[in-house]
Amino acid sequence: MVTIKEIAKRCNVSIATVSNIINGKPNVGRETREKVLKTIEELNYTPNYIAKNLKTRRSKTIGVVVEDITAFCAPNIVDGITKCCEEKGYHILLTNLRLYRKFGESYYENEKFFPMIQKEIKELIAKQVDGIVYVTTHERVLKCLPEELNVPAVMAYGYTRSPKYPSIVVDDRKGAAEVIRYLFSMGHRRIGTVSGPVRSIHTRERLLGVQDIFTEQGIPFEKKCVVEGDWRRGSGYRGTDSLLEQKVTAIFCMSDIMAGGVYDRLGELGLIPGKDISVAGFDDRELSTYYKPPLTTTALPLFEIGYTACEHAIRKIEGSDCGEEPEELLEIARSCSLTVRDSVKDIRIR
């Protein structure tokens, strides 16, 4: 293996100069830099990260644990982590637990999988990662990060409820409020909601966002205008008739998938979404652009969640002592963004 010493000798420069060029440090002349870089390419030099890590006691590696990479939210979160690592000069060591593939939705509320998760985290620690980012694929409270971790850890998309580990999450309340505020701006006052399961953090926060806007507008919020769904298309279908009985002019679905079910039922009844009944969703899944008409919805800040989580981990690695715990919980909510399409009709009196 070619060494820095050999490159320095061939270029007639110091070892320190070669090291500075490899590490992107300034204060090296252009001609010298070009000469060294050309020699590095000719000799096919590869840095010896193991030796460097032994010297610095850092691997410049973030261990990323993903519950299931096939979940719709996971790829964009991991992309955000990757982008942050690229900018900060870190590498990623990724572990895909495949929990949904192995156990289906039963793992959402079952703590028996925690030992498996903790085992994978400890294996990453054994591989000398400098920090951990744990990516949940269902926003919920998790106590799966071992308390005795000796490296920084951050949870993306879920809540740790621990002062030791920050949580980077979706601002569901503000996101839902933005959708309802838009519906009000288009003249709608009788607004029905297809919620997620009552036990879900998403559901609770989004319902609070809905109520916020009704309060803001000085209009009583009617619980009978809310039907419980389960995130699946069928629940949107089944809830449509009940909401139509309440004479709603618009239906807010807490997921784009359930909005598809509302479209299905409206079609059977001879009603046109965006014309006879307005419909809005949540998540901004790719399929929402293929609905007829395309669905007004709100995009989750998945990339930003991943980036922020990784940024916090790196900041902790390079900054304060890992053993020093903050006094308060650190929960950072990233904002959603409304995407207006053609499924909401303007019914304002002109």
Side-chain angles (χ1 to χ4, degrees):
M1 181 180 289
V2 178
T3 65
I4 291 179
K5 185 176 180 180
E6 292 175 61
I7 294 171
K9 184 176 181 180
R10 178 172 292 203
C11 297
N12 196 28
V13 297
S14 69
I15 293 174
T17 297
V18 176
S19 178
N20 288 338
I21 292 171
I22 290 173
N23 291 300
K25 294 183 179 180
N27 303 323
V28 178
R30 182 176 61 82
E31 290 184 6
T32 301
R33 184 181 298 278
E34 290 177 354
K35 182 179 180 181
V36 170
L37 290 175
K38 183 178 179 181
T39 302
I40 286 173
E41 185 176 351
E42 289 174 351
L43 297 179
N44 195 28
Y45 168 75
T46 301
N48 187 339
Y49 288 110
I50 294 176
K52 184 177 180 180
N53 294 345
L54 289 172
K55 183 178 180 180
T56 63
R57 294 187 179 181
R58 284 188 187 171
S59 64
K60 299 284 282 187
T61 302
I62 300 296
V64 180
V65 182
V66 185
E67 290 187 339
D68 200 305
I69 199 70
T70 64
F72 89 95
C73 60
N76 283 334
I77 294 176
V78 173
D79 190 34
I81 296 170
T82 302
K83 174 66 172 176
C84 183
C85 282
E86 285 178 355
E87 293 180 354
K88 308 294 184 183
Y90 278 70
H91 307 282
I92 285 178
L93 194 55
L94 178 69
T95 296
N96 177 24
L97 298 174
R98 301 182 69 248
L99 294 184
Y100 185 80
R101 290 289 190 178
K102 291 176 181 176
F103 307 108
E105 294 181 2
S106 65
Y107 87 86
Y108 289 166
E109 298 178 337
N110 197 327
E111 296 185 3
K112 73 178 183 180
F113 305 121
F114 285 5
M116 176 195 305
I117 295 169
Q118 293 175 352
K119 176 177 178 291
E120 294 294 339
I121 290 173
K122 288 177 180 179
E123 286 187 5
L124 286 173
I125 300 296
K127 293 173 183 176
Q128 301 298 306
V129 299
D130 292 329
I132 297 286
V133 177
Y134 185 88
V135 181
T136 74
T137 50
H138 191 74
E139 192 171 71
R140 62 202 193 284
V141 178
L142 280 166
K143 301 289 186 179
C144 59
L145 294 175
E147 285 298 324
E148 69 277 9
L149 274 182
N150 59 355
V151 300
V154 181
M155 184 168 288
Y157 201 66
Y159 294 85
T160 65
R161 295 286 194 253
S162 167
K164 187 174 182 180
Y165 305 123
S167 306
I168 316 299
V169 297
V170 176
D171 194 336
D172 280 301
R173 184 170 183 167
K174 185 177 178 181
E178 190 173 8
V179 177
I180 302 302
R181 183 178 286 113
Y182 173 70
L183 292 175
F184 267 94
S185 75
M186 299 296 277
H188 297 277
R189 297 296 181 269
R190 295 292 296 175
I191 301 170
T193 298
V194 182
S195 77
V198 174
R199 67 184 184 278
S200 167
I201 293 175
H202 289 299
T203 299
R204 294 196 295 269
E205 290 298 309
R206 292 174 192 179
L207 196 55
L208 287 172
V210 173
Q211 293 170 333
D212 287 343
I213 303 305
F214 274 86
T215 300
E216 179 184 288
Q217 296 292 324
I219 296 176
F221 175 76
E222 300 182 56
K223 290 184 178 180
K224 63 184 178 181
C225 287
V226 178
V227 295
E228 183 180 359
D230 59 10
W231 308 124
R232 296 183 178 90
R233 194 174 184 117
S235 63
Y237 177 94
R238 291 188 297 273
T240 301
D241 286 352
S242 175
L243 294 176
L244 292 178
E245 289 173 3
Q246 301 302 321
K247 307 299 182 183
V248 301
T249 62
I251 298 175
F252 166 52
C253 301
M254 290 190 182
S255 80
D256 295 343
I257 300 294
M258 294 191 298
V262 172
Y263 270 49
D264 294 339
R265 182 55 181 153
L266 291 177
E268 290 181 353
L269 296 172
L271 301 174
I272 302 173
K275 182 178 180 181
D276 300 311
I277 298 291
S278 293
V279 184
F282 207 102
D283 293 340
D284 197 22
R285 300 276 193 107
E286 184 177 358
L287 58 82
S288 65
T289 63
Y290 300 123
Y291 289 165
K292 301 294 183 182
L295 182 68
T296 291
T297 183
T298 188
L300 301 180
L302 301 174
F303 179 92
E304 292 80 5
I305 285 173
Y307 189 98
T308 304
C310 185
E311 189 175 43
H312 270 267
I314 292 174
R315 190 176 300 166
K316 188 69 173 176
I317 291 165
E318 298 181 347
S320 59
D321 180 12
C322 294
E324 185 177 309
E325 298 182 5
E327 294 181 359
E328 299 180 357
L329 293 175
L330 178 59
E331 293 178 355
I332 299 175
R334 311 306 292 176
S335 297
C336 302
S337 55
L338 183 67
T339 302
V340 176
R341 298 194 180 103
D342 301 324
S343 63
V344 176
K345 182 180 180 179
D346 187 346
I347 61 171
R348 292 172 291 181
I349 298 174
R350 299 183 183 280

